[in-house]
Amino acid sequence: MRKALEDVARFKNRRNQAIQKLSGHAMIVTSHPELIRNDDVHYPFRQDSNLYYLTGFEEPESILMLLPGKSPQEVLFVRRKNPERETWDGFRFGPEGAQAEFKIDQVYPIEEFEQRSVELLNGFQGVYLHLRKDAEQDSQMMSVLEKLKRSQGRTGYGMVSIHDANAFLGEMRLIKDEFELQNLRTACEISAQGHLAAQKQIKPGMTERQVQALLAYEFMSRGAARDGYYPIVASGNAATTLHYNFNDQVCKDGDLLLIDAGAEYNYFTGDITRTFPVNGKMSKPQYEVYSRVLDIQLKLIEMVKPGVPFKNFHDAAADMLTEAMLDLGLLTGRKNDIIAGQVHRKYYPHGVGHFLGMDVHDRGYYFKNNEPRPIEKGMCFTIEPGLYIPANDTSAPAEFRGIGVRIEDNILVTDNGYEVLTKSAPK
Ligand code: GLY
Ligand code: MN
Ligand code: MN
């Protein structure tokens, strides 16, 4: 029989914390939908971060309900055991196995979800749900809520309000405890080692796909379960396409190579970008752009300490990058007018960073009550300024066309400053 990946007491603790915070509301957390193409071709399954965070359970077709104040307080629905299916797809815990291994109050077969859930939810004024744009799952949730509304209408409990489970759990996951940090540190270190290997081995003529393979080899041989997200390996002008992931060009002598890749370890992920010359030496224009982005990134990291609103990083990045654009002759005019008119977004179209953890873009509020939210000890986020000058941009000085630079590190907020978790990746 398979075992849980981690000590299940940790998950029980998290469920208890969630139950305390739910103040009388119920919560339903569903597994990630399976990706199956042409009916029977399966793709690697990764559990939904929230469901994993609360249970450690890694199977698809599972649903957790938290029911504060009721007995049972926690109910998990899972696939039944099925020897024939297990021959094809591998081991399943089944309801009894899952209850014994994961120590959930009550576990039922997944087929019983719709029928049991209405009764289990009766009496709750509100439900936290994760609607995920998966037609099948969302319509199942809607059907349960419809039935609940009808049944509560008759018992006099009235309407049920719907809340966002993703936002609720995002807030819970935002401040990392020591154990979570250990996993995140490992994910960041493995990610950094992958980048280091790519930097050491790159040479003109190598394909972007070969570089991607180097990263994958390094990540997985160091214990990563998978990529944290599909890696971007973008040489030359491809680096000016933000989400380039064809990764099918040849890395040419004289080009820069931008790699945005991170490894996932125990459900935590790194998110690193490095830009470096394929032949080992930057041209003068490449260096002009690179050195400015690096300088700005270092200044932004220096700003990190508890109490600074996250918005300040966005504003400072826009300010400094716009100055660099003026300096390089990419734009003309007054800095403040350029920023007010969003003109700088032509060469820096994204934000400066995002929370990081079990998901690459971890959830959590950047604003609270419409006010910019100050960062706190234990939060982790990326700082990733960049400048992207497409080859076909005839308004830019010719020497800078086709240069794309982003530098991205993962930063932990400490007692009175920061720690760079990705410092093993040279820049
Ligand atoms: N790799 C995704 C991001 O940087 O946000
Ligand atoms: Mn990234
Ligand atoms: Mn990022």
Side-chain angles (χ1 to χ4, degrees):
M1 167 137 143
R2 296 182 69 135
K3 307 294 283 177
L5 274 186
E6 301 175 51
D7 177 5
V8 296
R10 189 166 358 265
F11 303 110
K12 179 91 182 165
N13 255 339
R14 289 174 179 160
R15 292 197 295 279
N16 283 340
Q17 276 178 37
I19 284 168
Q20 299 291 318
K21 285 179 206 262
L22 278 168
S23 30
H25 293 70
M27 181 152 71
I28 303 178
V29 183
T30 49
S31 58
H32 200 276
E34 274 185 289
L35 182 55
I36 300 172
R37 290 200 196 123
N38 296 340
D39 286 344
D40 62 352
V41 182
H42 291 241
Y43 287 80
F45 176 76
R46 183 212 190 247
Q47 187 55 285
D48 173 77
S49 294
N50 285 329
L51 188 56
Y52 186 82
Y53 177 77
L54 292 171
T55 61
F57 190 67
E58 288 198 280
E59 290 183 27
E61 296 184 80
S62 48
I63 302 178
L64 175 73
M65 295 176 82
L66 295 182
L67 308 161
K70 287 231 183 169
S71 177
Q73 253 194 149
E74 328 161 325
V75 179
L76 183 65
F77 293 87
V78 306
R79 301 178 303 189
R80 288 180 199 275
K81 289 212 58 82
N82 178 335
E84 194 202 331
R85 280 317 315 170
E86 286 178 60
T87 305
W88 286 89
D89 307 329
F91 176 80
R92 299 176 174 194
F93 278 96
E96 295 78 26
Q99 188 154 355
E101 178 66 16
F102 294 89
K103 310 278 188 287
I104 314 267
D105 289 355
Q106 182 73 55
V107 184
Y108 294 120
I110 187 70
E111 295 83 4
E112 298 177 12
F113 171 72
E114 280 208 44
Q115 165 222 326
R116 288 189 184 273
S117 55
V118 176
E119 194 189 323
L120 289 166
L121 289 171
N122 235 327
F124 286 103
Q125 300 162 2
V127 182
Y128 281 81
L129 269 189
H130 179 190
L131 296 174
R132 58 165 90 245
K133 297 190 200 140
D134 175 74
E136 205 177 315
Q137 274 194 3
D138 287 355
S139 73
Q140 185 182 36
M141 289 304 146
M142 286 303 127
S143 143
V144 166
L145 291 173
E146 258 320 300
K147 286 184 193 146
L148 181 64
K149 206 167 70 179
R150 265 184 264 132
S151 98
Q152 299 216 144
R154 285 196 293 271
T155 57
Y157 278 118
M159 301 293 275
V160 183
S161 60
I162 308 296
H163 305 265
D164 183 4
N166 214 15
F168 177 96
L169 292 164
E171 280 293 307
M172 271 187 76
R173 286 166 35 191
L174 194 52
I175 311 268
K176 274 76 182 171
D177 66 22
E178 254 324 299
F179 180 80
E180 290 161 347
L181 273 180
Q182 261 179 38
N183 284 331
L184 186 57
R185 274 180 209 289
T186 308
C188 289
E189 179 59 22
I190 294 174
S191 306
Q193 291 300 330
H195 280 262
L196 185 58
Q199 289 181 26
K200 279 188 178 155
Q201 294 176 62
I202 187 69
K203 54 175 196 278
M206 207 179 237
T207 63
E208 293 169 352
R209 192 75 68 207
Q210 283 172 317
V211 177
Q212 185 179 348
L214 285 177
L215 292 162
Y217 175 79
E218 214 52 44
F219 289 174
M220 288 179 201
S221 54
R222 290 173 184 273
R226 50 183 86 80
D227 289 311
Y229 51 93
Y230 196 81
I232 296 170
V233 183
S235 63
N237 183 55
T240 65
T241 302
L242 289 185
H243 286 169
Y244 173 85
N245 59 19
F246 294 122
N247 300 352
D248 62 354
Q249 305 289 304
V250 176
C251 303
K252 293 197 274 306
D253 199 350
D255 276 352
L256 288 178
L257 177 64
L258 181 153
I259 299 178
D260 185 345
E264 184 188 298
Y265 178 81
N266 258 357
Y267 279 83
F268 280 81
T269 186
D271 179 9
I272 304 180
T273 308
R274 290 293 183 263
T275 311
F276 54 95
V278 167
N279 65 11
K281 193 162 167 29
M282 281 189 202
S283 69
K284 190 162 174 291
Q286 288 168 346
Y287 180 75
E288 292 267 306
V289 178
Y290 182 87
S291 58
R292 281 176 173 79
V293 175
L294 177 60
D295 182 53
I296 291 166
Q297 203 235 10
L298 295 174
K299 287 196 168 113
L300 291 166
I301 294 174
E302 277 297 313
M303 287 168 54
V304 176
K305 63 173 183 213
V308 179
F310 198 79
K311 181 176 181 294
N312 288 19
F313 299 97
H314 284 298
D315 293 347
D319 188 273
M320 290 190 278
L321 286 164
T322 304
E323 215 152 88
M325 290 171 211
L326 288 166
D327 232 27
L328 293 167
L330 294 169
L331 296 178
T332 52
R334 285 182 41 203
K335 185 172 72 178
N336 290 350
D337 296 341
I338 290 170
I339 295 171
Q342 303 277 300
V343 181
H344 64 295
R345 294 181 62 84
K346 182 173 178 194
Y347 298 110
Y348 168 57
H350 56 79
V352 75
H354 50 81
F355 295 132
L356 177 77
M358 295 179 74
D359 289 310
V360 185
H361 293 176
D362 241 16
R363 293 292 291 265
Y365 293 113
Y366 295 96
F367 284 77
K368 274 193 160 174
N369 303 321
N370 257 343
E371 292 290 325
R373 177 189 199 167
I375 56 173
E376 294 168 51
K377 180 187 172 186
M379 287 182 178
C380 183
F381 50 82
T382 67
I383 295 277
E384 49 180 306
L387 282 175
Y388 314 89
I389 308 144
N392 62 4
D393 178 7
T394 49
S395 71
E399 55 183 348
F400 296 130
R401 291 179 206 162
I403 295 178
V405 173
R406 177 166 64 257
I407 308 174
E408 173 175 31
D409 278 296
N410 304 157
I411 316 293
L412 168 70
V413 185
T414 60
D415 273 321
N416 40 33
Y418 62 87
E419 182 187 330
V420 181
L421 303 178
T422 42
K423 53 181 170 299
S424 305
K427 53 186 181 184

